Amino acid sequence: MDEDITQEELYNQCNISKYVNHVVDGYNATIFAYGQTGSGKTFTMEGYKYKMNETSATSSQLDSVPVAITTKSENIGIIPRIVGEIFDKISENKLKKYRVY
């Protein structure tokens, strides 16, 4: 993948929605990131853990700052996008009942 690709482009190019559909249908799915240390795995999977204007804060300060992440943000990673998509699909399907653990 290109290092300049956006989080949304990566999500779409890897066809993650296909796996979300499998999960909503009751199957298991795994998204696995591997690579060299410092290559961007955590960023790809989680995205930014803080708002862009909070970059001067220390990591211990950031851990205690709750930040709402929505699927509308361009900086969220694969995991929050998956969670958002799962709940969107659940709320759209009125014919089934779901239990989320």
Side-chain angles (χ1 to χ4, degrees), residues 24-25 88-99:
V24 173
D25 288 340
D88 287 345
K89 290 185 180 298
I90 287 172
S91 67
E92 291 169 5
N93 191 340
K94 305 297 183 195
L95 300 176
K96 291 184 181 177
K97 290 185 179 183
Y98 294 91
R99 183 179 296 173

Side-chain angles (χ1 to χ4, degrees), residues 32-51:
F32 189 80
Y34 67 96
Q36 184 175 352
T37 300
S39 62
K41 297 176 299 295
T42 301
F43 173 74
T44 298
M45 296 304 287
E46 298 178 5
Y48 289 121
K49 290 185 179 181
Y50 49 86
K51 295 178 185 171

Side-chain angles (χ1 to χ4, degrees), residues 1-6 9-10 13:
M1 293 282 167
D2 182 10
E3 65 186 43
D4 295 324
I5 192 170
T6 67
E9 290 170 336
L10 175 73
Q13 284 186 18

Side-chain angles (χ1 to χ4, degrees), residues 14-80:
C14 291
N15 200 14
I16 303 296
S17 291
K18 174 176 93 174
Y19 301 103
V20 171
N21 289 331
H22 287 299
V23 169
V24 173
D25 288 340
Y27 298 98
N28 295 324
T30 300
I31 306 296
F32 189 80
Y34 67 96
Q36 184 175 352
T37 300
S39 62
K41 297 176 299 295
T42 301
F43 173 74
T44 298
M45 296 304 287
E46 298 178 5
Y48 289 121
K49 290 185 179 181
Y50 49 86
K51 295 178 185 171
M52 291 303 292
N53 60 1
E54 295 175 344
T55 55
S56 61
T58 66
S59 62
S60 62
Q61 291 170 322
L62 293 174
D63 290 339
S64 64
V65 176
V67 177
I69 298 177
T70 67
T71 55
K72 305 297 183 223
S73 171
E74 65 187 35
N75 295 319
I76 66 169
I78 289 174
I79 295 170

